Amino acid sequence: MNRTLSFTLNGKPAKISVDDERMLLWVLRYDLGLTGTKLGCGAGLCGACTVLVDGKAVRSCSAPVSSLAGKKVLTIEGLAPDGRLHAVQKAFLSAHAFQCGFCTPGMILAGCALLSTRPRPTRAEIVRAMDDNLCRCGSHKRILDAVEAAAAEIAGGAK
Ligand code: FES
Ligand code: FES
């Protein structure tokens, strides 16, 4: 059933008229043109479509848009609104934590979600938090290194 939904998207108010069973990923990519959120498995298994909803990592391929009413959605396009990269983005660049880049938006947002609730995670906690986001290019170790470096950067420590 079509309904009008209001939510916050990348810091700005958004209002859309949409079938409330449509998944958030289709709305972001095909209705709103935010193609930084990737379609991988389409079944909640790979994490390529990860966005933040009220700060929590959510698989947008499996989240009906009706669940977003009144919430704050952040996609990779909204992570550096003033052009200054987030610490996790900077760390991914420094660590060369990608090859094709397909998994990268989801990985970065999953890392941000972890660090927002656990600013100084142990390596084991990082491994656990990132374990369900898959990288087909074999960059996973460098991704973990990047999240660890971002945590150190945010905490103000040298790494
Ligand atoms: S595309 Fe959503 S989890 Fe794979
Ligand atoms: S960098 Fe290619 S899928 Fe991760």
Side-chain angles (χ1 to χ4, degrees):
M1 187 177 74
N2 257 55
R3 63 186 266 206
T4 300
L5 279 177
S6 298
F7 56 101
T8 302
L9 178 60
N10 294 336
K12 297 188 179 137
K15 191 183 270 195
I16 53 170
S17 179
V18 68
D19 182 333
D20 57 11
E21 289 182 16
R22 192 165 168 79
M23 294 301 156
L24 173 59
L25 178 58
W26 315 132
V27 171
L28 292 173
R29 285 187 62 85
Y30 304 120
D31 300 347
L32 301 175
L34 295 174
T35 55
T37 307
K38 302 303 183 199
L39 167 59
C41 65
L45 301 171
C46 74
C49 65
T50 300
V51 299
L52 301 186
V53 177
D54 286 349
K56 295 200 177 92
V58 165
R59 302 206 158 183
S60 61
C61 71
S62 307
V65 72
S66 56
S67 64
L68 297 180
K71 300 199 171 161
K72 291 184 183 154
V73 179
L74 185 76
T75 71
I76 196 70
E77 288 90 347
L79 195 55
D82 56 1
R84 286 188 314 160
L85 294 182
H86 188 281
V88 177
Q89 291 173 302
K90 285 194 275 185
F92 268 63
L93 282 171
S94 298
H96 304 289
F98 45 80
Q99 186 171 318
C100 77
F102 192 84
C103 70
T104 309
M107 290 286 189
I108 286 174
L109 290 172
C112 289
L114 169 65
L115 299 186
S116 69
T117 56
R118 193 85 181 119
R120 289 309 302 262
T122 64
R123 182 76 175 192
E125 287 169 334
I126 295 171
V127 168
R128 263 200 307 281
M130 305 298 290
D131 202 38
D132 289 337
N133 281 61
L134 308 181
C135 175
R136 64 189 174 187
C137 295
S139 301
H140 207 78
K141 176 177 179 305
R142 292 195 300 278
I143 289 166
L144 301 178
D145 293 344
V147 174
E148 197 168 27
E153 166 77 20
I154 291 167
K159 180 88 179 150

